[in-house]
Amino acid sequence: NAGVTQTPKFQVLKTGQSMTLQCAQDMNHEYMSWYRQDPGMGLRLIHYSVGAGITDQGEVPNGYNVSRSTTEDFPLRLLSAAPSQTSVYFCASSREVNYGYTFGSGTRLTVV
Amino acid sequence: EDQVTQSPEALRLQEGESSSLNCSYTVSGLRGLFWYRQDPGKGPEFLFTLYSAGEEKEKERLKATLTKKESFLHITAPKPEDSATYLCAVQAGQAGTALIFGKGTTLSVSS
C-alpha cells in the first residue's frame, strides 16, 4: 500500500516555465488537497477536491491550476513559475469529510 | 476569519520532563481538530482527531484534549525520538473539507 505518492521529489524551474506536480493515491480516497509549506507561514491550502470532477480554491490559488479526472490522481499545474512559488508542496488525501488526511512526502520546488 | 494559533513556537525539554503544547482556534462551525507530527524533510503524519469539547485521545506518550477554544497536546515523559514539529489543524464549516493549519511547535527533547 503506497499511500500518497508525489513526483518529482525535487525540481528547479526557471521563471516563466510551466510544470505539473503529480499526486496519486491508492486508498480510494474521495477528498484530496494541495498545500504549500513556507518557513514561518505554516501549511497553506492551494486547491482541494471532494471527488472526481469537483475542485475548489483554497487560501492561495493564484498561479496554480488543478483537475480531478480520476479518484486516484490530483495533479497541480504551475502555469508560469515565479520565484514566489519556491516552496515545499504537499498533497494529501482523506476517505471522509472530517477524517484525518494522509500526506505525501512532498515536492521541493525552487524557481530561479 | 478562521484562525489557528499554536504556542510556544519552540520547546526544549529534557528526557522525562513532561509538558504541554497549546493550539487555540477561532472558527465558525468546528467539524474537527487534528494533530500531526512532522519530521524534517517529511510530510505531516496524522496523530489524532478530536470532534467535540471534552474529548480526549491518547497514543503512547501523547494525549490530546479539546475545549471550545483550544486543544492541548500533553507529552508525558518524552524521549529524544519525540523530537519533531507538531502541527494543529482545524476543519471548519466555511472552509468545507479542507484543513486550516497553525504554524506548529518545534519540540526538541535531549537525553
Side-chain angles (χ1 to χ4, degrees), chain A residues 31 35 37 40-41 43 45 48 50 90 97-101 103-105 108, chain B residues 31 34 36 38 41-44 46 49 51 87 91 95 97-99 101 103:
Chain A
Y31 305 94
Y35 291 86
Q37 187 172 39
M41 298 293 293
L43 283 152
L45 180 66
Y48 66 98
V50 299
F90 289 102
V97 170
N98 56 350
Y99 203 73
Y101 273 76
F103 281 79
S105 58
R108 284 150 182 80
Chain B
R31 303 174 74 172
F34 303 80
Y36 286 85
Q38 186 174 25
K42 296 189 176 182
F46 172 71
T49 308
Y51 295 104
L87 302 172
Q91 191 171 52
T97 64
L99 300 178
F101 281 85
K103 295 180 181 180

PDB file of all heavy atoms in Angstrom, chain A residues 31 35 37 40-41 43 45 48 50 90 97-101 103-105 108, chain B residues 31 34 36 38 41-44 46 49 51 87 91 95 97-99 101 103:
ATOM      1  N   TYR A  31     -11.424  12.656  -0.977  1.00  0.00           N
ATOM      2  CA  TYR A  31     -11.007  14.022  -0.686  1.00  0.00           C
ATOM      3  C   TYR A  31      -9.505  14.154  -0.855  1.00  0.00           C
ATOM      4  O   TYR A  31      -8.729  13.416  -0.265  1.00  0.00           O
ATOM      5  CB  TYR A  31     -11.424  14.403   0.734  1.00  0.00           C
ATOM      6  CG  TYR A  31     -12.894  14.211   0.951  1.00  0.00           C
ATOM      7  CD1 TYR A  31     -13.394  13.036   1.497  1.00  0.00           C
ATOM      8  CD2 TYR A  31     -13.788  15.200   0.579  1.00  0.00           C
ATOM      9  CE1 TYR A  31     -14.750  12.847   1.661  1.00  0.00           C
ATOM     10  CE2 TYR A  31     -15.150  15.018   0.747  1.00  0.00           C
ATOM     11  CZ  TYR A  31     -15.619  13.839   1.281  1.00  0.00           C
ATOM     12  OH  TYR A  31     -16.963  13.654   1.438  1.00  0.00           O
ATOM     13  N   TYR A  35      -1.238  21.567  -0.571  1.00  0.00           N
ATOM     14  CA  TYR A  35      -0.775  22.599   0.344  1.00  0.00           C
ATOM     15  C   TYR A  35       0.633  23.009  -0.050  1.00  0.00           C
ATOM     16  O   TYR A  35       1.391  22.233  -0.620  1.00  0.00           O
ATOM     17  CB  TYR A  35      -0.726  22.081   1.789  1.00  0.00           C
ATOM     18  CG  TYR A  35      -2.070  21.804   2.404  1.00  0.00           C
ATOM     19  CD1 TYR A  35      -2.703  20.582   2.221  1.00  0.00           C
ATOM     20  CD2 TYR A  35      -2.710  22.763   3.183  1.00  0.00           C
ATOM     21  CE1 TYR A  35      -3.946  20.328   2.780  1.00  0.00           C
ATOM     22  CE2 TYR A  35      -3.952  22.517   3.756  1.00  0.00           C
ATOM     23  CZ  TYR A  35      -4.547  21.295   3.549  1.00  0.00           C
ATOM     24  OH  TYR A  35      -5.773  21.046   4.106  1.00  0.00           O
ATOM     25  N   GLN A  37       4.109  24.729   1.915  1.00  0.00           N
ATOM     26  CA  GLN A  37       4.653  24.999   3.237  1.00  0.00           C
ATOM     27  C   GLN A  37       5.874  25.887   3.100  1.00  0.00           C
ATOM     28  O   GLN A  37       6.848  25.519   2.441  1.00  0.00           O
ATOM     29  CB  GLN A  37       5.031  23.695   3.948  1.00  0.00           C
ATOM     30  CG  GLN A  37       5.443  23.897   5.399  1.00  0.00           C
ATOM     31  CD  GLN A  37       5.620  22.577   6.139  1.00  0.00           C
ATOM     32  OE1 GLN A  37       6.122  21.601   5.592  1.00  0.00           O
ATOM     33  NE2 GLN A  37       5.187  22.528   7.392  1.00  0.00           N
ATOM     34  N   GLY A  40       7.892  29.841   8.518  1.00  0.00           N
ATOM     35  CA  GLY A  40       7.174  30.879   9.244  1.00  0.00           C
ATOM     36  C   GLY A  40       5.737  31.079   8.820  1.00  0.00           C
ATOM     37  O   GLY A  40       5.031  31.906   9.407  1.00  0.00           O
ATOM     38  N   MET A  41       5.288  30.348   7.811  1.00  0.00           N
ATOM     39  CA  MET A  41       3.919  30.543   7.306  1.00  0.00           C
ATOM     40  C   MET A  41       3.026  29.352   7.592  1.00  0.00           C
ATOM     41  O   MET A  41       1.817  29.447   7.491  1.00  0.00           O
ATOM     42  CB  MET A  41       3.942  30.790   5.797  1.00  0.00           C
ATOM     43  CG  MET A  41       4.704  32.030   5.383  1.00  0.00           C
ATOM     44  SD  MET A  41       3.880  33.526   5.932  1.00  0.00           S
ATOM     45  CE  MET A  41       2.398  33.478   4.943  1.00  0.00           C
ATOM     46  N   LEU A  43       1.408  25.536   6.819  1.00  0.00           N
ATOM     47  CA  LEU A  43       0.821  24.924   5.633  1.00  0.00           C
ATOM     48  C   LEU A  43      -0.378  25.748   5.175  1.00  0.00           C
ATOM     49  O   LEU A  43      -1.282  26.025   5.959  1.00  0.00           O
ATOM     50  CB  LEU A  43       0.364  23.490   5.943  1.00  0.00           C
ATOM     51  CG  LEU A  43       1.463  22.446   6.007  1.00  0.00           C
ATOM     52  CD1 LEU A  43       1.076  21.306   6.925  1.00  0.00           C
ATOM     53  CD2 LEU A  43       1.741  21.919   4.601  1.00  0.00           C
ATOM     54  N   LEU A  45      -3.457  26.118   2.171  1.00  0.00           N
ATOM     55  CA  LEU A  45      -4.209  25.364   1.188  1.00  0.00           C
ATOM     56  C   LEU A  45      -4.218  26.070  -0.165  1.00  0.00           C
ATOM     57  O   LEU A  45      -4.525  27.255  -0.256  1.00  0.00           O
ATOM     58  CB  LEU A  45      -5.642  25.179   1.680  1.00  0.00           C
ATOM     59  CG  LEU A  45      -6.581  24.415   0.771  1.00  0.00           C
ATOM     60  CD1 LEU A  45      -6.146  22.958   0.657  1.00  0.00           C
ATOM     61  CD2 LEU A  45      -8.005  24.505   1.301  1.00  0.00           C
ATOM     62  N   TYR A  48      -8.421  22.156  -3.469  1.00  0.00           N
ATOM     63  CA  TYR A  48      -8.854  20.880  -2.946  1.00  0.00           C
ATOM     64  C   TYR A  48      -9.959  20.299  -3.823  1.00  0.00           C
ATOM     65  O   TYR A  48     -10.536  20.995  -4.661  1.00  0.00           O
ATOM     66  CB  TYR A  48      -9.295  20.983  -1.489  1.00  0.00           C
ATOM     67  CG  TYR A  48     -10.529  21.817  -1.231  1.00  0.00           C
ATOM     68  CD1 TYR A  48     -11.784  21.212  -1.083  1.00  0.00           C
ATOM     69  CD2 TYR A  48     -10.438  23.195  -1.085  1.00  0.00           C
ATOM     70  CE1 TYR A  48     -12.903  21.976  -0.822  1.00  0.00           C
ATOM     71  CE2 TYR A  48     -11.562  23.957  -0.825  1.00  0.00           C
ATOM     72  CZ  TYR A  48     -12.792  23.344  -0.682  1.00  0.00           C
ATOM     73  OH  TYR A  48     -13.907  24.110  -0.426  1.00  0.00           O
ATOM     74  N   VAL A  50     -13.317  17.303  -3.694  1.00  0.00           N
ATOM     75  CA  VAL A  50     -14.160  16.413  -2.894  1.00  0.00           C
ATOM     76  C   VAL A  50     -14.577  15.174  -3.678  1.00  0.00           C
ATOM     77  O   VAL A  50     -15.363  14.365  -3.191  1.00  0.00           O
ATOM     78  CB  VAL A  50     -15.399  17.143  -2.348  1.00  0.00           C
ATOM     79  CG1 VAL A  50     -14.973  18.293  -1.454  1.00  0.00           C
ATOM     80  CG2 VAL A  50     -16.280  17.625  -3.482  1.00  0.00           C
ATOM     81  N   PHE A  90       2.822  19.834  -0.661  1.00  0.00           N
ATOM     82  CA  PHE A  90       2.319  18.571  -0.145  1.00  0.00           C
ATOM     83  C   PHE A  90       0.934  18.286  -0.695  1.00  0.00           C
ATOM     84  O   PHE A  90       0.067  19.161  -0.731  1.00  0.00           O
ATOM     85  CB  PHE A  90       2.243  18.588   1.381  1.00  0.00           C
ATOM     86  CG  PHE A  90       3.576  18.558   2.064  1.00  0.00           C
ATOM     87  CD1 PHE A  90       4.124  19.718   2.587  1.00  0.00           C
ATOM     88  CD2 PHE A  90       4.285  17.372   2.184  1.00  0.00           C
ATOM     89  CE1 PHE A  90       5.364  19.703   3.215  1.00  0.00           C
ATOM     90  CE2 PHE A  90       5.516  17.336   2.809  1.00  0.00           C
ATOM     91  CZ  PHE A  90       6.062  18.515   3.324  1.00  0.00           C
ATOM     92  N   VAL A  97     -15.087  13.195   5.022  1.00  0.00           N
ATOM     93  CA  VAL A  97     -15.046  14.643   5.127  1.00  0.00           C
ATOM     94  C   VAL A  97     -14.234  15.119   6.323  1.00  0.00           C
ATOM     95  O   VAL A  97     -13.380  15.986   6.212  1.00  0.00           O
ATOM     96  CB  VAL A  97     -16.478  15.209   5.225  1.00  0.00           C
ATOM     97  CG1 VAL A  97     -16.429  16.680   5.587  1.00  0.00           C
ATOM     98  CG2 VAL A  97     -17.210  15.019   3.916  1.00  0.00           C
ATOM     99  N   ASN A  98     -14.468  14.582   7.484  1.00  0.00           N
ATOM    100  CA  ASN A  98     -13.778  15.058   8.682  1.00  0.00           C
ATOM    101  C   ASN A  98     -12.907  13.958   9.289  1.00  0.00           C
ATOM    102  O   ASN A  98     -12.845  13.797  10.495  1.00  0.00           O
ATOM    103  CB  ASN A  98     -14.770  15.601   9.702  1.00  0.00           C
ATOM    104  CG  ASN A  98     -15.831  14.576  10.065  1.00  0.00           C
ATOM    105  OD1 ASN A  98     -15.924  13.540   9.426  1.00  0.00           O
ATOM    106  ND2 ASN A  98     -16.602  14.853  11.089  1.00  0.00           N
ATOM    107  N   TYR A  99     -12.230  13.247   8.424  1.00  0.00           N
ATOM    108  CA  TYR A  99     -11.294  12.224   8.849  1.00  0.00           C
ATOM    109  C   TYR A  99      -9.878  12.736   8.648  1.00  0.00           C
ATOM    110  O   TYR A  99      -9.652  13.684   7.913  1.00  0.00           O
ATOM    111  CB  TYR A  99     -11.507  10.952   8.016  1.00  0.00           C
ATOM    112  CG  TYR A  99     -11.022   9.691   8.683  1.00  0.00           C
ATOM    113  CD1 TYR A  99     -11.716   9.147   9.753  1.00  0.00           C
ATOM    114  CD2 TYR A  99      -9.884   9.039   8.239  1.00  0.00           C
ATOM    115  CE1 TYR A  99     -11.275   7.991  10.359  1.00  0.00           C
ATOM    116  CE2 TYR A  99      -9.444   7.885   8.843  1.00  0.00           C
ATOM    117  CZ  TYR A  99     -10.143   7.363   9.896  1.00  0.00           C
ATOM    118  OH  TYR A  99      -9.708   6.222  10.489  1.00  0.00           O
ATOM    119  N   GLY A 100      -8.889  12.121   9.329  1.00  0.00           N
ATOM    120  CA  GLY A 100      -7.507  12.562   9.207  1.00  0.00           C
ATOM    121  C   GLY A 100      -6.965  12.395   7.798  1.00  0.00           C
ATOM    122  O   GLY A 100      -7.204  11.390   7.144  1.00  0.00           O
ATOM    123  N   TYR A 101      -6.235  13.399   7.321  1.00  0.00           N
ATOM    124  CA  TYR A 101      -5.638  13.336   5.997  1.00  0.00           C
ATOM    125  C   TYR A 101      -4.311  12.586   6.044  1.00  0.00           C
ATOM    126  O   TYR A 101      -3.545  12.707   6.997  1.00  0.00           O
ATOM    127  CB  TYR A 101      -5.399  14.752   5.463  1.00  0.00           C
ATOM    128  CG  TYR A 101      -6.589  15.350   4.750  1.00  0.00           C
ATOM    129  CD1 TYR A 101      -7.676  15.832   5.471  1.00  0.00           C
ATOM    130  CD2 TYR A 101      -6.619  15.440   3.366  1.00  0.00           C
ATOM    131  CE1 TYR A 101      -8.754  16.379   4.819  1.00  0.00           C
ATOM    132  CE2 TYR A 101      -7.704  15.996   2.709  1.00  0.00           C
ATOM    133  CZ  TYR A 101      -8.763  16.459   3.437  1.00  0.00           C
ATOM    134  OH  TYR A 101      -9.845  17.004   2.789  1.00  0.00           O
ATOM    135  N   PHE A 103      -0.724  12.469   4.195  1.00  0.00           N
ATOM    136  CA  PHE A 103       0.107  13.352   3.376  1.00  0.00           C
ATOM    137  C   PHE A 103       1.157  12.567   2.604  1.00  0.00           C
ATOM    138  O   PHE A 103       1.658  11.537   3.072  1.00  0.00           O
ATOM    139  CB  PHE A 103       0.817  14.386   4.251  1.00  0.00           C
ATOM    140  CG  PHE A 103      -0.069  15.543   4.649  1.00  0.00           C
ATOM    141  CD1 PHE A 103      -0.992  15.402   5.672  1.00  0.00           C
ATOM    142  CD2 PHE A 103       0.031  16.760   4.002  1.00  0.00           C
ATOM    143  CE1 PHE A 103      -1.807  16.461   6.036  1.00  0.00           C
ATOM    144  CE2 PHE A 103      -0.779  17.824   4.370  1.00  0.00           C
ATOM    145  CZ  PHE A 103      -1.705  17.668   5.386  1.00  0.00           C
ATOM    146  N   GLY A 104       1.510  13.110   1.430  1.00  0.00           N
ATOM    147  CA  GLY A 104       2.653  12.612   0.700  1.00  0.00           C
ATOM    148  C   GLY A 104       3.937  13.149   1.307  1.00  0.00           C
ATOM    149  O   GLY A 104       3.913  13.929   2.267  1.00  0.00           O
ATOM    150  N   SER A 105       5.063  12.767   0.708  1.00  0.00           N
ATOM    151  CA  SER A 105       6.369  13.154   1.247  1.00  0.00           C
ATOM    152  C   SER A 105       6.846  14.509   0.737  1.00  0.00           C
ATOM    153  O   SER A 105       7.868  15.015   1.177  1.00  0.00           O
ATOM    154  CB  SER A 105       7.410  12.091   0.928  1.00  0.00           C
ATOM    155  OG  SER A 105       7.476  11.909  -0.469  1.00  0.00           O
ATOM    156  N   ARG A 108       9.896  19.476  -3.376  1.00  0.00           N
ATOM    157  CA  ARG A 108      10.621  20.711  -3.070  1.00  0.00           C
ATOM    158  C   ARG A 108      10.935  21.432  -4.363  1.00  0.00           C
ATOM    159  O   ARG A 108      11.716  20.949  -5.170  1.00  0.00           O
ATOM    160  CB  ARG A 108      11.898  20.377  -2.294  1.00  0.00           C
ATOM    161  CG  ARG A 108      11.586  20.036  -0.859  1.00  0.00           C
ATOM    162  CD  ARG A 108      12.552  19.056  -0.251  1.00  0.00           C
ATOM    163  NE  ARG A 108      12.167  18.721   1.115  1.00  0.00           N
ATOM    164  CZ  ARG A 108      11.211  17.846   1.425  1.00  0.00           C
ATOM    165  NH1 ARG A 108      10.558  17.211   0.480  1.00  0.00           N
ATOM    166  NH2 ARG A 108      10.918  17.618   2.689  1.00  0.00           N
TER     167      ARG A 108
ATOM    168  N   ARG B  31     -15.655  21.333  12.748  1.00  0.00           N
ATOM    169  CA  ARG B  31     -16.024  19.970  12.373  1.00  0.00           C
ATOM    170  C   ARG B  31     -15.023  18.962  12.924  1.00  0.00           C
ATOM    171  O   ARG B  31     -15.331  17.782  13.052  1.00  0.00           O
ATOM    172  CB  ARG B  31     -16.122  19.863  10.861  1.00  0.00           C
ATOM    173  CG  ARG B  31     -17.112  20.841  10.269  1.00  0.00           C
ATOM    174  CD  ARG B  31     -17.104  20.827   8.769  1.00  0.00           C
ATOM    175  NE  ARG B  31     -17.753  19.631   8.236  1.00  0.00           N
ATOM    176  CZ  ARG B  31     -18.001  19.465   6.952  1.00  0.00           C
ATOM    177  NH1 ARG B  31     -17.642  20.376   6.090  1.00  0.00           N
ATOM    178  NH2 ARG B  31     -18.586  18.364   6.524  1.00  0.00           N
ATOM    179  N   PHE B  34      -7.332  18.506  14.430  1.00  0.00           N
ATOM    180  CA  PHE B  34      -6.370  17.460  14.101  1.00  0.00           C
ATOM    181  C   PHE B  34      -4.997  17.816  14.640  1.00  0.00           C
ATOM    182  O   PHE B  34      -4.586  18.972  14.600  1.00  0.00           O
ATOM    183  CB  PHE B  34      -6.266  17.296  12.577  1.00  0.00           C
ATOM    184  CG  PHE B  34      -7.566  16.985  11.910  1.00  0.00           C
ATOM    185  CD1 PHE B  34      -8.477  17.988  11.637  1.00  0.00           C
ATOM    186  CD2 PHE B  34      -7.880  15.684  11.561  1.00  0.00           C
ATOM    187  CE1 PHE B  34      -9.688  17.709  11.023  1.00  0.00           C
ATOM    188  CE2 PHE B  34      -9.088  15.394  10.947  1.00  0.00           C
ATOM    189  CZ  PHE B  34      -9.990  16.406  10.675  1.00  0.00           C
ATOM    190  N   TYR B  36      -0.939  16.679  14.048  1.00  0.00           N
ATOM    191  CA  TYR B  36       0.007  15.984  13.187  1.00  0.00           C
ATOM    192  C   TYR B  36       1.405  16.139  13.749  1.00  0.00           C
ATOM    193  O   TYR B  36       1.720  17.121  14.412  1.00  0.00           O
ATOM    194  CB  TYR B  36      -0.001  16.574  11.768  1.00  0.00           C
ATOM    195  CG  TYR B  36      -1.206  16.219  10.943  1.00  0.00           C
ATOM    196  CD1 TYR B  36      -2.368  16.955  11.034  1.00  0.00           C
ATOM    197  CD2 TYR B  36      -1.167  15.145  10.065  1.00  0.00           C
ATOM    198  CE1 TYR B  36      -3.480  16.636  10.277  1.00  0.00           C
ATOM    199  CE2 TYR B  36      -2.273  14.811   9.292  1.00  0.00           C
ATOM    200  CZ  TYR B  36      -3.423  15.560   9.406  1.00  0.00           C
ATOM    201  OH  TYR B  36      -4.513  15.245   8.651  1.00  0.00           O
ATOM    202  N   GLN B  38       5.403  16.251  12.306  1.00  0.00           N
ATOM    203  CA  GLN B  38       6.196  16.372  11.089  1.00  0.00           C
ATOM    204  C   GLN B  38       7.683  16.314  11.422  1.00  0.00           C
ATOM    205  O   GLN B  38       8.184  17.140  12.192  1.00  0.00           O
ATOM    206  CB  GLN B  38       5.877  17.665  10.337  1.00  0.00           C
ATOM    207  CG  GLN B  38       6.569  17.754   8.983  1.00  0.00           C
ATOM    208  CD  GLN B  38       6.145  18.962   8.177  1.00  0.00           C
ATOM    209  OE1 GLN B  38       5.707  19.973   8.716  1.00  0.00           O
ATOM    210  NE2 GLN B  38       6.249  18.861   6.859  1.00  0.00           N
ATOM    211  N   GLY B  41      12.036  17.274   6.572  1.00  0.00           N
ATOM    212  CA  GLY B  41      12.109  16.705   5.235  1.00  0.00           C
ATOM    213  C   GLY B  41      11.012  15.712   4.898  1.00  0.00           C
ATOM    214  O   GLY B  41      11.076  15.064   3.849  1.00  0.00           O
ATOM    215  N   LYS B  42      10.016  15.600   5.768  1.00  0.00           N
ATOM    216  CA  LYS B  42       8.933  14.641   5.521  1.00  0.00           C
ATOM    217  C   LYS B  42       7.574  15.315   5.585  1.00  0.00           C
ATOM    218  O   LYS B  42       7.441  16.443   6.050  1.00  0.00           O
ATOM    219  CB  LYS B  42       9.002  13.510   6.537  1.00  0.00           C
ATOM    220  CG  LYS B  42      10.268  12.678   6.433  1.00  0.00           C
ATOM    221  CD  LYS B  42      10.197  11.440   7.300  1.00  0.00           C
ATOM    222  CE  LYS B  42      11.432  10.575   7.115  1.00  0.00           C
ATOM    223  NZ  LYS B  42      11.366   9.328   7.918  1.00  0.00           N
ATOM    224  N   GLY B  43       6.550  14.606   5.117  1.00  0.00           N
ATOM    225  CA  GLY B  43       5.203  15.123   5.197  1.00  0.00           C
ATOM    226  C   GLY B  43       4.622  14.922   6.583  1.00  0.00           C
ATOM    227  O   GLY B  43       5.095  14.081   7.354  1.00  0.00           O
ATOM    228  N   PRO B  44       3.594  15.694   6.941  1.00  0.00           N
ATOM    229  CA  PRO B  44       2.944  15.522   8.244  1.00  0.00           C
ATOM    230  C   PRO B  44       2.365  14.117   8.390  1.00  0.00           C
ATOM    231  O   PRO B  44       1.831  13.553   7.443  1.00  0.00           O
ATOM    232  CB  PRO B  44       1.837  16.574   8.213  1.00  0.00           C
ATOM    233  CG  PRO B  44       2.289  17.600   7.226  1.00  0.00           C
ATOM    234  CD  PRO B  44       3.029  16.823   6.186  1.00  0.00           C
ATOM    235  N   PHE B  46      -0.356  11.893  10.586  1.00  0.00           N
ATOM    236  CA  PHE B  46      -1.567  12.052  11.380  1.00  0.00           C
ATOM    237  C   PHE B  46      -1.415  11.414  12.762  1.00  0.00           C
ATOM    238  O   PHE B  46      -0.935  10.284  12.893  1.00  0.00           O
ATOM    239  CB  PHE B  46      -2.746  11.427  10.635  1.00  0.00           C
ATOM    240  CG  PHE B  46      -4.016  11.351  11.419  1.00  0.00           C
ATOM    241  CD1 PHE B  46      -4.743  12.499  11.703  1.00  0.00           C
ATOM    242  CD2 PHE B  46      -4.488  10.135  11.889  1.00  0.00           C
ATOM    243  CE1 PHE B  46      -5.912  12.435  12.425  1.00  0.00           C
ATOM    244  CE2 PHE B  46      -5.662  10.067  12.609  1.00  0.00           C
ATOM    245  CZ  PHE B  46      -6.374  11.205  12.875  1.00  0.00           C
ATOM    246  N   THR B  49      -7.630  12.971  15.849  1.00  0.00           N
ATOM    247  CA  THR B  49      -8.739  13.850  15.524  1.00  0.00           C
ATOM    248  C   THR B  49      -9.631  13.978  16.750  1.00  0.00           C
ATOM    249  O   THR B  49      -9.961  12.969  17.385  1.00  0.00           O
ATOM    250  CB  THR B  49      -9.597  13.317  14.365  1.00  0.00           C
ATOM    251  OG1 THR B  49      -8.766  13.015  13.256  1.00  0.00           O
ATOM    252  CG2 THR B  49     -10.615  14.365  13.948  1.00  0.00           C
ATOM    253  N   TYR B  51     -13.348  15.824  18.002  1.00  0.00           N
ATOM    254  CA  TYR B  51     -14.538  16.367  17.362  1.00  0.00           C
ATOM    255  C   TYR B  51     -15.369  17.278  18.266  1.00  0.00           C
ATOM    256  O   TYR B  51     -16.093  18.146  17.760  1.00  0.00           O
ATOM    257  CB  TYR B  51     -15.425  15.234  16.856  1.00  0.00           C
ATOM    258  CG  TYR B  51     -14.780  14.411  15.761  1.00  0.00           C
ATOM    259  CD1 TYR B  51     -14.260  13.147  16.021  1.00  0.00           C
ATOM    260  CD2 TYR B  51     -14.682  14.902  14.463  1.00  0.00           C
ATOM    261  CE1 TYR B  51     -13.665  12.398  15.014  1.00  0.00           C
ATOM    262  CE2 TYR B  51     -14.091  14.153  13.448  1.00  0.00           C
ATOM    263  CZ  TYR B  51     -13.590  12.907  13.741  1.00  0.00           C
ATOM    264  OH  TYR B  51     -13.004  12.170  12.737  1.00  0.00           O
ATOM    265  N   LEU B  87       1.948  19.874  14.553  1.00  0.00           N
ATOM    266  CA  LEU B  87       1.036  20.777  13.857  1.00  0.00           C
ATOM    267  C   LEU B  87      -0.394  20.535  14.316  1.00  0.00           C
ATOM    268  O   LEU B  87      -0.821  19.390  14.469  1.00  0.00           O
ATOM    269  CB  LEU B  87       1.113  20.552  12.342  1.00  0.00           C
ATOM    270  CG  LEU B  87       2.476  20.716  11.687  1.00  0.00           C
ATOM    271  CD1 LEU B  87       2.423  20.271  10.232  1.00  0.00           C
ATOM    272  CD2 LEU B  87       2.942  22.155  11.782  1.00  0.00           C
ATOM    273  N   GLN B  91     -10.815  21.830  10.920  1.00  0.00           N
ATOM    274  CA  GLN B  91     -11.694  21.712   9.767  1.00  0.00           C
ATOM    275  C   GLN B  91     -12.988  22.404  10.159  1.00  0.00           C
ATOM    276  O   GLN B  91     -13.630  22.015  11.130  1.00  0.00           O
ATOM    277  CB  GLN B  91     -11.946  20.249   9.449  1.00  0.00           C
ATOM    278  CG  GLN B  91     -12.617  19.993   8.127  1.00  0.00           C
ATOM    279  CD  GLN B  91     -12.629  18.527   7.817  1.00  0.00           C
ATOM    280  OE1 GLN B  91     -13.053  17.726   8.646  1.00  0.00           O
ATOM    281  NE2 GLN B  91     -12.159  18.150   6.640  1.00  0.00           N
ATOM    282  N   ALA B  95     -14.863  26.440   5.435  1.00  0.00           N
ATOM    283  CA  ALA B  95     -13.762  26.015   4.567  1.00  0.00           C
ATOM    284  C   ALA B  95     -14.057  24.675   3.906  1.00  0.00           C
ATOM    285  O   ALA B  95     -13.224  24.149   3.220  1.00  0.00           O
ATOM    286  CB  ALA B  95     -12.468  25.932   5.367  1.00  0.00           C
ATOM    287  N   THR B  97     -14.121  20.922   3.345  1.00  0.00           N
ATOM    288  CA  THR B  97     -13.418  19.782   3.902  1.00  0.00           C
ATOM    289  C   THR B  97     -11.943  20.057   4.143  1.00  0.00           C
ATOM    290  O   THR B  97     -11.251  19.217   4.661  1.00  0.00           O
ATOM    291  CB  THR B  97     -13.514  18.588   2.944  1.00  0.00           C
ATOM    292  OG1 THR B  97     -12.840  18.936   1.724  1.00  0.00           O
ATOM    293  CG2 THR B  97     -14.954  18.266   2.639  1.00  0.00           C
ATOM    294  N   ALA B  98     -11.444  21.206   3.749  1.00  0.00           N
ATOM    295  CA  ALA B  98     -10.017  21.461   3.837  1.00  0.00           C
ATOM    296  C   ALA B  98      -9.606  21.800   5.263  1.00  0.00           C
ATOM    297  O   ALA B  98     -10.412  22.203   6.088  1.00  0.00           O
ATOM    298  CB  ALA B  98      -9.637  22.597   2.906  1.00  0.00           C
ATOM    299  N   LEU B  99      -8.326  21.643   5.541  1.00  0.00           N
ATOM    300  CA  LEU B  99      -7.765  21.903   6.860  1.00  0.00           C
ATOM    301  C   LEU B  99      -7.113  23.281   6.907  1.00  0.00           C
ATOM    302  O   LEU B  99      -6.493  23.709   5.948  1.00  0.00           O
ATOM    303  CB  LEU B  99      -6.723  20.848   7.208  1.00  0.00           C
ATOM    304  CG  LEU B  99      -7.194  19.402   7.244  1.00  0.00           C
ATOM    305  CD1 LEU B  99      -6.033  18.475   7.561  1.00  0.00           C
ATOM    306  CD2 LEU B  99      -8.292  19.233   8.284  1.00  0.00           C
ATOM    307  N   PHE B 101      -4.240  25.144   9.062  1.00  0.00           N
ATOM    308  CA  PHE B 101      -3.151  24.774   9.950  1.00  0.00           C
ATOM    309  C   PHE B 101      -2.625  25.945  10.755  1.00  0.00           C
ATOM    310  O   PHE B 101      -2.598  27.086  10.296  1.00  0.00           O
ATOM    311  CB  PHE B 101      -1.983  24.204   9.144  1.00  0.00           C
ATOM    312  CG  PHE B 101      -2.155  22.783   8.727  1.00  0.00           C
ATOM    313  CD1 PHE B 101      -2.843  22.472   7.570  1.00  0.00           C
ATOM    314  CD2 PHE B 101      -1.631  21.742   9.486  1.00  0.00           C
ATOM    315  CE1 PHE B 101      -3.013  21.154   7.183  1.00  0.00           C
ATOM    316  CE2 PHE B 101      -1.792  20.432   9.099  1.00  0.00           C
ATOM    317  CZ  PHE B 101      -2.480  20.134   7.955  1.00  0.00           C
ATOM    318  N   LYS B 103       1.011  27.279  12.765  1.00  0.00           N
ATOM    319  CA  LYS B 103       2.386  27.294  12.278  1.00  0.00           C
ATOM    320  C   LYS B 103       3.253  26.236  12.944  1.00  0.00           C
ATOM    321  O   LYS B 103       4.392  26.031  12.540  1.00  0.00           O
ATOM    322  CB  LYS B 103       2.989  28.684  12.482  1.00  0.00           C
ATOM    323  CG  LYS B 103       2.291  29.751  11.645  1.00  0.00           C
ATOM    324  CD  LYS B 103       2.898  31.123  11.856  1.00  0.00           C
ATOM    325  CE  LYS B 103       2.141  32.153  11.013  1.00  0.00           C
ATOM    326  NZ  LYS B 103       2.707  33.517  11.179  1.00  0.00           N
TER     327      LYS B 103
END
